[in-house]
Amino acid sequence: MITNKKVTLIVTGSVAVYKSLHLVRLLKKANNDVRVVMTEAATKFVQPLAFETLSKNRVLDDSFEPENPSEVKHIDIADSSDVVIVAPATADILAKIANGIADNMASTILLATTAPTFIVPAMNSHMYDNPATQRNLQTIREDGDHILEPDTGFLAEGYSGKGRMPEPEKIVDWVSSEIEPNDQLLLGKKIIVSAGGTREPIDPVRYITNHSSGKMGFAVAKAAADAGAEVTIVAANTSLPTPAGVKIVPVSTAVELADEITSRFPNADGLVMAAAVADFRPKNVADHKIKKQADQDTMTIELEKNPDIVKQIAANKRSDQFVVGFAAETNDLVENAQKKIASKKLDLIVANDVSGKGVGFNSDNNQVTFIFADGHQQKTPVESKQTIANELVKIIGEF
Ligand code: C5P
């Protein structure tokens, strides 16, 4: 829970401003010192007095004149905030944040602050979907700020779409889960994480592989290590820096990956299988580079099945061990992932749609649905792989 923090709440001009009054109440109730900053447009929807009454602090807007002229108020606020929340965030403020524009009190504080910043966009669905807004959101994410996706529903324009500001309770939960570290949650646990994509050799110079970068698995390893676990990454063909305190075991093929995991699992508390394993490998691996014939138009490579590592591990696990699988899908995400959790007898499957732009393979962001063995599901917004990994560690901590 976000509590005892200096929270700066930046309110920009959307009809959703009224919801931010309740957000202030929730933050105050949890003992936070809340300072509200309003853009001029926001003050047209709700009077600053309403926010002043609830926050018990003076509202800062563009007409603000400091009682003490020696204070540079926007810098003072930017420096002293523990957390900055922008809710509702209009397309205009997103464009300013993405481009470093500082032309009013709100945007100046946002440019100056080094505090973790949480942005809650709310606007017309067409404005939200506009490529310029999506580009700005992507830039803001890459710059490290947190973004909560808007809800879909009835908009003030009289039609339904994606752009509604989520309810204040949801915003408080989201900020809380992002800032609360998973400290010591997995203390004393030994966890194996697989990452990367296997390579199945055809001959000494060629192989079959996939687009996995290993980023998701490395993020999980970091999150688990940050939560106090002893972590080993069995890494298939990755070139990422090893997270601090994590042991790395490099492998290449599915069979090598299977051997390393199978020998280590009996001494582990759990496995997170984030590697993309080739289902098949060339049946015969040539010991020399295969040459094409002058008149050759086609070529056939016979493939044989690789072991289903996670299935074998889960089938033989002890009741005090857990196994988490991943499912990268391009269609019928939840349906396919549900089949996998059942057939592979997993405790949890992290399903992600890899067909979307800006998420999945090689990207720093992802959007996943956690599917539990009892069938219930939890869908994340598009967020950084590290944030998703932290959420996964929270779930594992409750196993
Ligand atoms: O490839 P598929 O979508 O079935 O992958 C689902 C899960 O199974 C993933 O966690 C993946 O790492 C694992 N898997 C495996 N061995 C295979 C294929 C997939 O452990 N041969």
Side-chain angles (χ1 to χ4, degrees):
M1 187 67 190
I2 171 169
T3 178
N4 296 317
K5 298 269 187 293
K6 284 193 170 187
V7 179
T8 297
L9 173 64
I10 296 182
V11 180
T12 66
S14 146
V15 66
V17 167
Y18 74 94
K19 288 190 183 175
S20 300
L21 291 169
H22 186 46
L23 181 58
V24 173
R25 292 193 60 194
L26 294 177
L27 291 166
K28 286 292 289 179
K29 226 166 120 187
N31 256 334
N32 297 288
D33 178 15
V34 183
R35 175 65 90 137
V36 177
V37 179
M38 297 179 81
T39 60
E40 197 190 332
T43 64
K44 303 258 160 69
F45 288 95
V46 171
Q47 291 289 319
L49 184 60
F51 281 104
E52 289 186 345
T53 311
L54 293 171
S55 70
K56 313 247 182 311
N57 269 323
R58 234 184 117 181
V59 163
L60 272 84
D61 59 20
D62 293 322
S63 64
F64 184 88
E65 280 179 22
E67 305 88 52
N68 175 358
S70 69
E71 257 180 21
V72 187
K73 204 67 202 173
H74 54 277
I75 300 296
D76 181 40
I77 290 285
D79 284 348
S80 64
S81 305
D82 296 319
V83 172
V84 175
I85 303 174
V86 191
T90 55
D92 182 68
I93 197 78
L94 297 181
K96 285 181 179 153
I97 300 169
N99 292 288
I101 296 171
D103 63 353
N104 58 21
M105 181 66 87
S107 54
T108 310
I109 290 172
L110 283 161
L111 190 65
T113 191
T114 54
T117 301
F118 297 85
I119 297 170
V120 185
M123 66 197 73
N124 170 272
S125 57
H126 302 309
M127 290 170 78
Y128 181 74
D129 289 337
N130 189 293
T133 303
Q134 289 302 315
R135 232 179 4 253
N136 290 333
L137 286 167
Q138 179 70 13
T139 303
I140 295 169
R141 243 184 234 115
E142 283 166 10
D143 289 345
D145 288 348
H146 307 259
I147 297 170
L148 183 62
E149 261 192 85
D151 282 346
T152 301
F154 196 70
L155 302 171
E157 291 80 354
Y159 51 85
S160 195
K162 184 171 183 176
R164 281 171 61 91
M165 176 160 142
E167 293 310 313
E169 286 79 4
K170 184 169 168 185
I171 297 172
V172 170
D173 280 354
W174 169 65
V175 174
S176 303
S177 75
E178 299 272 319
I179 58 169
E180 251 176 37
N182 286 332
D183 260 3
Q184 318 295 316
L185 199 60
L186 299 180
L187 192 66
K189 300 274 183 218
K190 287 187 181 159
I191 294 181
I192 303 170
V193 180
S194 73
T198 64
R199 283 181 189 168
E200 310 301 329
I202 298 169
D203 67 16
V205 293
R206 304 180 178 100
Y207 51 80
I208 297 172
T209 192
N210 56 65
H211 288 297
S212 176
S213 61
K215 283 182 183 169
M216 192 64 233
F218 274 59
V220 173
K222 179 181 179 333
D226 287 349
E230 193 183 306
V231 183
T232 302
I233 310 182
V234 185
N237 311 298
T238 57
S239 54
L240 298 165
T242 309
V246 169
K247 177 175 176 182
I248 190 143
V249 178
V251 293
S252 187
T253 65
V255 169
E256 289 167 13
L257 184 63
D259 288 349
E260 288 296 345
I261 290 176
T262 310
S263 67
R264 286 162 201 280
F265 191 69
N267 296 321
D269 294 287
L271 167 68
V272 179
M273 191 74 189
V277 185
D279 289 320
F280 293 91
R281 62 173 178 264
K283 191 167 177 194
N284 300 304
V285 182
D287 55 9
H288 58 274
K289 186 178 170 194
I290 300 171
K291 294 267 181 288
K292 61 179 170 295
Q293 307 301 318
D295 56 351
Q296 187 178 7
D297 286 331
T298 62
M299 180 181 178
T300 304
I301 300 172
E302 196 181 350
L303 303 176
E304 67 181 345
K305 208 159 193 299
N306 266 326
D308 191 326
I309 307 167
V310 86
K311 190 172 180 175
Q312 286 178 2
I313 294 280
N316 297 308
K317 79 176 179 77
R318 299 189 307 265
S319 60
D320 62 338
Q321 292 176 305
F322 69 84
V323 177
V324 173
F326 272 70
E329 304 288 347
T330 54
N331 53 291
D332 302 324
L333 175 75
V334 171
E335 203 184 317
N336 284 329
Q338 269 167 341
K339 281 186 198 148
K340 276 177 197 170
I341 196 168
S343 73
K344 301 193 188 210
K345 297 207 166 47
L346 306 174
D347 296 291
L348 176 78
I349 204 151
V350 186
N352 68 318
D353 182 345
V354 288
S355 64
K357 258 197 189 162
V359 295
F361 286 135
N362 255 313
S363 164
D364 288 327
N365 296 319
N366 214 346
Q367 175 170 37
V368 305
T369 305
F370 295 112
I371 301 176
F372 295 77
D374 66 4
H376 87 275
Q377 299 172 15
Q378 199 177 305
K379 185 174 177 182
T380 70
V382 176
E383 49 196 5
S384 71
K385 287 186 172 170
Q386 198 55 62
T387 301
I388 290 178
N390 293 343
E391 284 168 30
L392 175 60
V393 161
K394 274 204 174 71
I395 293 172
I396 290 172
E398 284 166 17
F399 278 161

